[in-house]
Amino acid sequence: MNTENHSQTAAFLWSIADLLRGDFKQSQYGRIILPFTLLRRMECVLEPTKDKVVQQATVHQRKPDHVREMLLRRAAGDLQFFNASPLTLGTLSDTQTAADLMSYAQSFSTDACEIFEHFEFENFVQQLSSANLLYQVVQRFAATDLSPARISNFGMGIIFEELIRRFAESSNETAGEHFTPRDIVHLTTSLVITGQDDKLAPNRIVTIYDPTAGTGGFLSEGDEYIQSISEKVSVSLHGQELNPESYAICKADMLIKGQDVTNIKLGNTLSNDQLTGPEHRFDFMLSNPPFGVEWKKVQKQITDEHKHKGFDGRFGPGLPRVSDGSLLFLLHLVSKMRDPRDGGSRIGIILNGSPLFTGGAGSGESEIRRYLLQHDLIEAIIALPTDMFYNTGIATYVWLLSNHKPAERRGKVQLIDGSQHFTKMRKSLGSKRQYVTAEQISGLVRLYGAFEETPQSKIFPIDAFGYRRITVERPLRLNFQASAARIDNVLREKAIQKLDDTARQQLADALGAMDPSPLHRNREQFAKLLKKTLAAHGVSLSTPEQKALWNGLGERDPEADICTTKGKPEPDTSLRDNENVPLGESVYDYFQREVIPHVPDAWINESKRDALDGEVGIVGFEIPFNRHFYVFQPPRPLEAIDRDLKACTDRIKQMIEELSA
């Protein structure tokens, strides 16, 4: 059966939605059509062994559930599912109730039953029954031939994915959360799996994992891609998904294609990873986690893992800000990499722009980038066109990671600008206005594979993205004066206002006794004078009160002498600044060249040292992608701008004259 016929079958199945108009919202069509399609396909697959399974179900009905399931799967021809009911969609008549249909659906094996539960199948069956539509819908599906003789597992996968796409488009306000456009899936999969012939040798078992599986697009595409380029390779799919409905669709898609669904899990990947242990290390990992979604709900579990497990857990390098959990998914994937001695792993993950540069030196984001780069895990980052996703038009990037880089890529990162590789869509789908053609995908894969410097491909050593942030101090310079205005400032300080009236008046009298005219530009000399005056008036102040006194009497003055403490210059926190020194360059050489000529009295605060290497300055990493591809466009000549302005004013003048005529 060719692709065109697959599309026709999918279109026919979706046309059953015509029956639902008026009684159901458009966004609900898929919740009825998808489970009914699954139900019909499964009964078509089971038809040759149905009588045997029903008979064996009676024989083994008293055995433990797990034993009975194993025996009935065997009776069904060692399929991943079975149905122990004598009913079929075709034998359900208009005299039978919704309860009979549910009895039939609940007679499937455990994995299949779970799928129907997550689709909330019973709820929709009851709604169909209440709307007097159940029999019509059942008969439409019963009349559709979805048998393996007519449609292969691969073909059925295409049909089911077409229905998923239509479902996503019909409710595209949330589609982007659960459904990645097929062109982006194909591009990412091609980039990750290209050139991996050693992993795709005959009789190999290849594992693919997606921690944000959604409806299973990446897993399906990865499977199809490998099957299309390699013979006799077994593909084992693994995934976890948070949304129950998306999970049900993913699992249904796997069942339809004859895949083992035991490694598709439901739950929050970040707080409850259900594929743990050394056996869950994967050859290829593909993911499109939600963009810019906060992780506050699971903050305690993630923070606890970071604190208590460190690098033995998933989040050892650091934690990003709570408002964006993208980098947590990236760290999670890195934790699933195979040992390089076993061939290593490759990762393709789609992220928005913020993980490239958000967070300064020492922040969680910077420390995560530092870990990835210094462990030489980032192989390439490809900028995608905008307007590629159903629910957002923002700039996005494919990150390619590997812990088994070829020799020529070691210690280097390739940046590829693919932002112009797009074709306009005839009709927008939500925010998706552009797509990447097969030819454009091939072009990007070739750019990546060539690993050469071109206007669209830049290659950098790892240290090019690193810097050391040093803290530059400048000395505190203050003048002091016992003027009426400054004494008033002292009396308004909070610490002074807490004094009782007598003590406050005593302080005011002491300060008022000082000569208000001289401006003192040396703190040490003024301190001696002040101390003598306060002692003469019997004034004794606590440390906070003394600080308030100095705050009120002093003002910053670039002409004043430097304030010192124990013979060392005291820094002025208001003049404190930071400089980012490129990694590999001496901070002292940089400081002498870039800072001292402008502020000769500055110095480096050597107490600010990096936590890992102990050197002066905090190490940071960022990937300023756009800066590396920026091309300066000179402004238009002034003469041309003047001509345009004159032409514009002449037109306005002419219009005014015509109106007033």
Side-chain angles (χ1 to χ4, degrees):
M1 189 180 188
N2 62 34
T3 305
E4 185 180 349
N5 289 337
H6 292 147
S7 297
Q8 288 173 354
T9 302
F12 171 75
L13 291 168
W14 191 260
S15 72
I16 296 171
D18 292 339
L19 292 170
L20 310 177
R21 295 186 197 285
D23 294 286
F24 293 88
K25 296 176 183 175
Q26 190 176 352
S27 61
Q28 293 178 312
Y29 295 170
R31 296 172 184 175
I32 295 169
I33 290 169
L34 290 171
F36 267 107
T37 300
L38 174 67
L39 180 56
R40 177 57 180 157
R41 170 63 174 186
M42 287 197 297
E43 77 171 15
C44 287
V45 171
L46 294 172
E47 187 176 359
T49 60
K50 185 168 182 65
D51 292 342
K52 184 179 179 183
V53 171
V54 171
Q55 181 231 334
Q56 290 292 305
T58 305
V59 172
H60 302 302
Q61 62 182 337
R62 297 186 182 278
K63 288 185 177 165
D65 287 348
H66 70 281
V67 174
R68 181 173 175 270
E69 284 234 347
M70 183 181 69
L71 292 168
L72 293 186
R73 278 186 188 174
R74 191 176 298 164
D78 287 327
L79 292 169
Q80 292 294 320
F81 55 91
F82 62 81
N83 188 293
S85 169
L87 290 170
T88 66
L89 289 179
T91 60
L92 285 165
S93 71
D94 56 354
T95 59
Q96 288 170 308
T97 64
D100 295 309
L101 175 58
M102 288 313 303
S103 169
Y104 173 40
Q106 288 161 359
S107 297
F108 278 101
S109 47
T110 305
D111 280 326
C113 280
E114 185 191 22
I115 292 169
F116 289 111
E117 286 171 15
H118 288 301
F119 271 122
E120 299 183 10
F121 189 57
E122 184 169 9
N123 178 30
F124 283 103
V125 165
Q126 295 296 345
Q127 289 183 54
L128 285 167
S129 180
S130 300
N132 291 318
L133 292 172
L134 183 59
Y135 177 68
Q136 292 180 66
V137 169
V138 166
Q139 290 307 303
R140 285 279 192 99
F141 278 98
T144 307
D145 182 5
L146 299 181
S147 64
R150 178 173 173 266
I151 305 171
S152 67
N153 280 349
F154 179 76
M156 196 62 220
I158 292 174
I159 291 168
F160 203 70
E161 284 173 27
E162 174 70 10
L163 294 175
I164 294 169
R165 184 184 65 80
R166 288 172 181 258
F167 176 36
E169 289 169 10
S170 72
S171 55
N172 60 30
E173 71 279 0
T174 58
E177 294 178 22
H178 316 302
F179 187 83
T180 306
R182 189 65 183 262
D183 53 332
I184 299 301
V185 170
H186 187 58
L187 170 61
T188 307
T189 305
S190 301
L191 288 164
V192 169
I193 300 178
T194 187
Q196 298 300 299
D197 297 346
D198 56 326
K199 284 186 178 289
L200 306 179
N203 303 316
R204 281 286 306 267
I205 297 175
V206 176
T207 53
I208 302 177
Y209 173 61
D210 183 352
T212 53
T215 56
F218 268 127
L219 297 176
S220 297
E221 176 70 18
D223 185 17
E224 286 174 30
Y225 188 97
I226 289 172
Q227 301 293 357
S228 70
I229 63 173
S230 187
E231 295 180 358
K232 298 180 182 177
V233 172
S234 298
V235 181
S236 177
L237 304 179
H238 302 69
Q240 187 163 332
E241 170 55 32
L242 175 64
N243 179 276
E245 190 175 88
S246 298
Y247 164 76
I249 294 172
C250 178
K251 209 165 177 180
D253 191 31
M254 298 296 111
L255 266 183
I256 272 177
K257 292 174 180 174
Q259 276 278 353
D260 180 4
V261 296
T262 55
N263 288 316
I264 307 298
K265 306 293 185 182
L266 175 66
N268 190 308
T269 304
L270 297 179
S271 61
N272 181 24
D273 178 15
Q274 294 182 44
L275 294 168
T276 57
E279 70 277 13
H280 289 121
R281 300 288 184 269
F282 307 102
D283 294 303
F284 301 113
M285 290 176 261
L286 301 157
S287 179
N288 176 25
F291 300 139
V293 172
E294 69 172 26
W295 47 281
K296 195 166 188 177
K297 288 181 182 177
V298 292
Q299 187 173 6
K300 183 181 186 307
Q301 297 95 312
I302 290 169
T303 305
D304 285 350
E305 181 172 339
H306 171 66
K307 284 181 179 176
H308 302 308
K309 290 189 176 181
F311 285 91
D312 291 331
R314 296 171 292 170
F315 310 121
L319 299 178
R321 63 197 66 194
V322 175
S323 59
D324 186 356
S326 300
L327 285 170
L328 293 176
F329 286 103
L330 183 46
L331 286 178
H332 169 80
L333 288 172
V334 168
S335 76
K336 304 287 187 187
M337 287 180 130
R338 287 191 189 283
D339 190 305
R341 291 168 295 187
D342 297 331
S345 301
R346 287 176 61 75
I347 294 170
I349 182 171
I350 302 168
L351 301 173
N352 64 3
S354 64
L356 292 168
F357 53 80
T358 304
S363 68
E365 292 91 343
S366 177
E367 288 299 290
I368 293 168
R369 289 190 292 268
R370 178 181 186 173
Y371 177 84
L372 297 172
L373 286 161
Q374 291 190 332
H375 284 77
D376 202 12
L377 295 174
I378 300 177
E379 195 169 86
I381 299 175
I382 298 94
L384 298 177
T386 55
D387 301 319
M388 294 299 293
F389 291 83
Y390 296 115
N391 63 343
T392 180
I394 62 173
T396 51
Y397 302 80
V398 178
W399 291 47
L400 296 180
L401 289 86
S402 171
N403 63 348
H404 195 233
K405 287 184 178 183
E408 67 272 16
R409 287 186 180 268
R410 286 174 198 157
K412 296 174 183 175
V413 176
Q414 183 181 15
L415 302 184
I416 297 174
D417 180 13
S419 61
Q420 300 308 308
H421 286 244
F422 67 85
T423 300
K424 289 283 184 184
M425 296 175 66
R426 287 196 299 271
K427 181 184 177 186
S428 298
L429 296 173
S431 295
K432 184 171 176 62
R433 300 177 179 87
Q434 301 176 158
Y435 72 102
V436 187
T437 65
E439 292 77 17
Q440 289 165 337
I441 289 172
S442 297
L444 285 170
V445 172
R446 281 195 299 272
L447 266 177
Y448 160 73
F451 193 57
E452 295 173 351
E453 284 277 348
T454 73
Q456 287 181 288
S457 169
K458 311 280 186 183
I459 298 167
F460 299 91
I462 284 165
D463 279 359
F465 304 112
Y467 61 91
R468 198 175 287 275
R469 188 189 67 195
I470 58 172
T471 301
V472 176
E473 305 283 14
R474 293 182 62 192
L476 180 66
R477 297 173 185 269
L478 298 171
N479 67 41
F480 300 90
Q481 191 174 31
S483 64
R486 295 198 191 187
I487 293 171
D488 193 44
N489 288 339
V490 171
L491 297 175
R492 283 203 297 267
E493 290 278 340
K494 282 186 180 179
I496 302 301
Q497 287 188 342
K498 288 179 182 178
L499 295 170
D500 60 42
D501 292 345
T502 303
R504 197 162 58 249
Q505 186 59 51
Q506 196 176 9
L507 175 61
D509 292 343
L511 296 176
M514 297 179 72
D515 185 351
S517 56
L519 189 68
H520 303 269
R521 284 196 161 99
N522 184 291
R523 188 173 67 175
E524 288 183 18
Q525 292 175 4
F526 181 72
K528 290 175 183 176
L529 179 62
L530 182 62
K531 184 178 180 182
K532 186 177 179 181
T533 302
L534 294 178
H537 286 77
V539 175
S540 177
L541 299 174
S542 66
T543 301
E545 291 157 2
Q546 287 180 36
K547 187 176 179 182
L549 177 62
W550 285 106
N551 284 344
L553 295 178
E555 286 186 359
R556 282 176 172 77
D557 180 354
E559 302 299 320
D561 294 341
I562 293 173
C563 299
T564 60
T565 302
K566 296 180 180 179
K568 292 185 177 180
E570 187 176 327
D572 184 344
T573 56
S574 69
L575 297 177
R576 181 173 289 160
D577 201 1
N578 294 304
E579 290 281 334
N580 291 342
V581 182
L583 276 189
E585 180 173 357
S586 162
V587 295
Y588 301 104
D589 290 347
Y590 176 94
F591 181 74
Q592 289 297 325
R593 185 182 72 247
E594 301 291 341
V595 179
I596 289 297
H598 306 287
V599 278
D601 58 1
W603 72 92
I604 297 173
N605 184 337
E606 300 210 4
S607 68
K608 307 276 187 178
R609 292 179 173 267
D610 188 73
L612 290 182
D613 65 19
E615 298 292 329
V616 172
I618 312 299
V619 172
F621 277 86
E622 64 177 11
I623 304 171
F625 196 101
N626 292 335
R627 187 195 306 164
H628 293 302
F629 290 95
Y630 173 73
V631 178
F632 175 70
Q633 298 288 345
R636 294 168 61 208
L638 284 173
E639 296 81 4
I641 297 171
D642 286 341
R643 278 198 306 272
D644 289 348
L645 284 172
K646 186 175 185 309
C648 185
T649 53
D650 287 347
R651 281 198 306 273
I652 294 169
K653 186 177 178 182
Q654 184 181 351
M655 289 169 64
I656 293 171
E657 288 173 352
E658 288 173 357
L659 287 171
S660 59

